Amino acid sequence: MSKKNGSKKTKIWIAIGVLVVLGGMVGVILGSKQKPKGTEVDVAVVEADSIVQTVAASGKVQPAVDVNISANVSGRIVSLGAEEGDDVKRGDMLVQIEDEDYSAAVQQAEFSLRSAEASLEESQSTLNRIKQLHERDLAADADLEQAQATVKRLTAEVDRVQAALTEAKDRLAKTRIYAPIAGTVTRLNKEQGEMAIGATFSEDVIMVVSQLDAMEVNAEVNENDVVLVDVGDPVKIEVYAIPDTSFKGIVTEIGHSGLVQGQGTAEEVTNFEVKVTIMDQVARLRPGMSATVDIITERRDKAVVVPQEAVAVRSMKKEKKLEEKARSEENKKKGGKKKSNFDDDKGFEEEELSEVVYVINEDTAW
């Protein structure tokens, strides 16, 4: 073979190679135009799991039983039977108020009673004598009536003085205050030597006795959430002072009247008081501690669970028309004559939106 023929064949092969490369590039470009590259997304497998609906709120820890100890009579405190933090039993003396004036009042009432009883006895004897004389017509009717009236008057006087003596003894007894329940003194407001103001309709609290073995959280729940809460709902409780620990609780009471904050302002909020009993025994809990509660209002087991990112809100009518339009355009490319009924977005605003879930179909999320 001559040198000239070899050079000619080489040029032919080079030309063929260039055409092949150009053809491949054109194919890639056309392919990329027909199938545009999509956005890569994470996928997850649908599974069955338990889901719960909760209502969150905050509040304060407090004893389920809390008794204010106050005086019914006024006087200076001469003795305290317990200090803050002491455990007391029912019937233990907690407070003693000076009793000299009340003791003197009892003695005076006793003297008055003895005097009234003596007068009544004397008038009764006089009445008996007049009755005997009247039977023999030796005493007038007026004398008999007067003697009977005197006996009635002095009988009433004895009853009055007896009532005064009972009242004086009661006031004397109230100078000593005893524990109405067994518990712990959680607050002491007065010291020995201070005045205790006794009143019937207002309290001058001397100390507070609480039963710390039964605690609860007094939480405030927003008006939009309280309608979801029922008595008996289980609760998860977390106390700020005891981190990384949660306690079990249960809703035991729901307030019927709202607590309005910022009334008449743009920040007005209405909450309802919800009491949550703490089921666990926790020695470290103290009244007044801040806590948060998660009230489980609904629970569903073995529910179909999907990632939140897979849920979208769509107009189903619009989605169907978009699919119809896409199929119509595809038919046109293939030479078909089918027309689309797609008419912009007319009527979409009248349709309620629906929640839909993306699913994988042929490596594409739809």
Side-chain angles (χ1 to χ4, degrees):
M1 184 180 294
S2 65
K3 185 175 182 182
K4 184 176 181 180
N5 291 334
S7 175
K8 185 177 180 179
K9 289 181 177 181
T10 302
K11 292 180 178 179
I12 291 172
W13 284 109
I14 292 174
I16 291 172
V18 171
L19 290 174
V20 171
V21 172
L22 291 174
M25 294 177 63
V26 171
V28 171
I29 293 172
L30 292 177
S32 63
K33 290 184 178 180
Q34 293 178 355
K35 297 181 179 180
K37 185 177 180 181
T39 303
E40 293 185 357
V41 295
D42 295 330
V43 298
V45 179
V46 175
E47 57 184 14
D49 199 355
S50 297
I51 57 176
V52 295
Q53 175 181 272
T54 62
V55 169
S58 59
K60 296 289 186 181
V61 175
Q62 64 180 20
V65 179
D66 211 18
V67 180
N68 293 333
I69 306 299
S70 58
N72 293 106
V73 295
S74 299
R76 194 172 303 280
I77 298 173
V78 296
S79 177
L80 289 172
E83 297 291 335
E84 187 169 334
D86 289 349
D87 293 330
V88 297
K89 297 178 181 179
R90 182 176 182 179
D92 288 351
M93 192 186 72
L94 301 178
V95 182
Q96 182 177 352
I97 298 173
E98 59 182 356
D99 60 359
E100 287 81 2
D101 292 342
Y102 301 103
S103 179
V106 170
Q107 292 178 359
Q108 183 176 358
E110 289 175 341
F111 296 152
S112 298
L113 178 61
R114 288 198 292 269
S115 175
E117 289 175 340
S119 297
L120 176 60
E121 184 178 355
E122 181 181 359
S123 66
Q124 188 66 52
S125 298
T126 301
L127 175 61
N128 292 335
R129 287 195 302 271
I130 293 177
K131 279 183 177 181
Q132 293 174 359
L133 294 173
H134 185 269
E135 291 174 355
R136 290 180 291 176
D137 294 331
L138 298 177
D141 293 341
D143 294 336
L144 178 61
E145 291 173 358
Q146 183 178 1
Q148 291 174 337
T150 301
V151 169
K152 290 181 180 180
R153 178 174 58 80
L154 292 177
T155 300
E157 179 66 12
V158 168
D159 292 340
R160 185 190 68 78
V161 176
Q162 180 66 60
L165 175 60
T166 300
E167 181 182 3
K169 287 182 177 180
D170 179 66
R171 294 176 67 83
L172 176 61
K174 288 178 178 177
T175 59
R176 287 171 172 79
I177 305 174
Y178 301 91
I181 61 171
T184 303
V185 178
T186 54
R187 189 165 73 245
L188 183 63
N189 294 332
K190 292 184 178 294
E191 298 292 341
Q192 182 176 336
E194 293 188 71
M195 287 292 296
I197 308 301
T200 303
F201 301 105
S202 62
E203 285 188 317
D204 180 27
V205 179
I206 300 173
M207 65 175 65
V208 178
V209 177
S210 308
Q211 291 183 342
L212 300 182
D213 56 343
M215 304 292 281
E216 63 185 15
V217 177
N218 192 1
E220 292 188 3
V221 178
N222 187 269
E223 60 181 325
N224 297 321
D225 295 327
V226 75
V227 294
L228 304 174
V229 180
D230 293 316
V231 173
D233 283 344
V235 183
K236 177 184 176 183
I237 304 169
E238 293 184 352
V239 180
Y240 295 147
I242 309 176
D244 304 323
T245 306
S246 61
F247 310 106
K248 294 180 181 179
I250 187 172
V251 176
T252 52
E253 186 178 333
I254 302 174
H256 294 284
S257 299
L259 306 174
V260 182
Q261 300 176 357
Q263 188 171 10
T265 66
E267 292 78 22
E268 180 176 324
V269 176
T270 301
N271 295 326
F272 286 80
E273 186 177 88
V274 175
K275 290 186 178 181
V276 177
T277 297
I278 301 175
M279 308 302 293
D280 299 322
Q281 296 291 333
V282 187
R284 292 178 292 173
L285 286 180
R286 294 291 183 272
M289 286 184 173
S290 300
T292 58
V293 296
D294 289 322
I295 305 171
I296 300 175
T297 57
E298 187 174 356
R299 180 185 182 92
R300 295 185 182 179
D301 296 320
K302 296 182 179 180
V304 177
V305 179
V306 298
Q308 185 176 359
E309 294 79 4
V311 181
V313 178
R314 292 287 185 271
S315 167
M316 300 308 296
K317 185 184 295 185
K318 182 175 181 178
E319 289 293 320
K320 290 179 180 178
K321 289 194 174 184
L322 289 174
E323 292 178 3
E324 183 181 346
K325 180 180 179 181
R327 285 195 299 268
S328 177
E329 292 177 351
E330 186 68 24
N331 289 334
K332 286 181 181 179
K333 291 180 181 179
K334 294 180 180 180
K337 297 182 179 180
K338 184 177 180 180
K339 296 183 179 180
S340 172
N341 294 324
F342 182 78
D343 185 16
D344 298 327
D345 292 344
K346 185 178 179 180
F348 296 157
E349 67 278 358
E350 300 177 359
E351 182 188 6
E352 293 185 1
L353 299 178
S354 303
E355 289 185 346
V356 298
V357 178
Y358 289 106
V359 296
I360 301 299
N361 185 11
E362 297 181 355
D363 296 331
T364 303
W366 296 88

